[in-house]
Amino acid sequence: MNSPDLSKMKQDCSNSKECLEMLQMILDGEATTQQKEHFLKEHLEQCMPCYKNYHLEVAIRELLKTKCTSHAPQELVDNIRKQVSQKLAS
């Protein structure tokens, strides 16, 4: 993914729920190649909220991988995701 021109990115996402679902599918390895390419190469380069969400989610997942000796319980992951989403929405 290229570094987008942050000054030209839209500041609101009209499809935030769908984008968050797509982001989860991509990071969970459930998205098709076409879905992944479109979202990462086109949408993220134009949408600041989704760009931030993507990088935040990647950072959270990397942190959990390094801090947990085994997979984090799904309940913990869901709780963290819920709290992050609430903070981003406010």
Side-chain angles (χ1 to χ4, degrees):
M1 179 168 53
N2 298 329
S3 295
D5 183 349
L6 301 179
S7 66
K8 294 182 180 179
M9 296 174 82
K10 63 182 179 174
Q11 300 300 307
D12 294 312
C13 182
S14 58
N15 299 316
S16 59
K17 183 179 182 210
E18 293 84 3
C19 288
L20 187 56
E21 289 172 2
M22 179 56 64
L23 171 64
Q24 297 303 319
M25 286 176 54
I26 290 169
L27 294 175
D28 291 341
E30 298 171 356
T32 67
T33 302
Q34 289 174 325
Q35 289 172 317
K36 184 177 178 179
E37 286 179 7
H38 171 55
F39 190 79
L40 295 178
K41 292 182 180 178
E42 294 181 33
H43 185 74
L44 285 190
E45 300 219 356
Q46 300 170 10
C47 183
M48 179 63 77
C50 291
Y51 180 82
K52 287 181 178 180
N53 284 343
Y54 172 79
H55 290 286
L56 179 61
E57 187 71 27
V58 168
I60 289 169
R61 288 174 183 238
E62 288 301 315
L63 179 65
L64 288 173
K65 282 182 192 176
T66 60
K67 298 298 180 188
C68 297
T69 56
S70 62
H71 292 318
Q74 189 60 43
E75 183 178 342
L76 173 61
V77 173
D78 292 341
N79 188 27
I80 292 170
R81 185 174 291 125
K82 180 181 173 186
Q83 290 179 18
V84 169
S85 295
Q86 288 173 345
K87 295 236 186 253
L88 290 173
S90 59

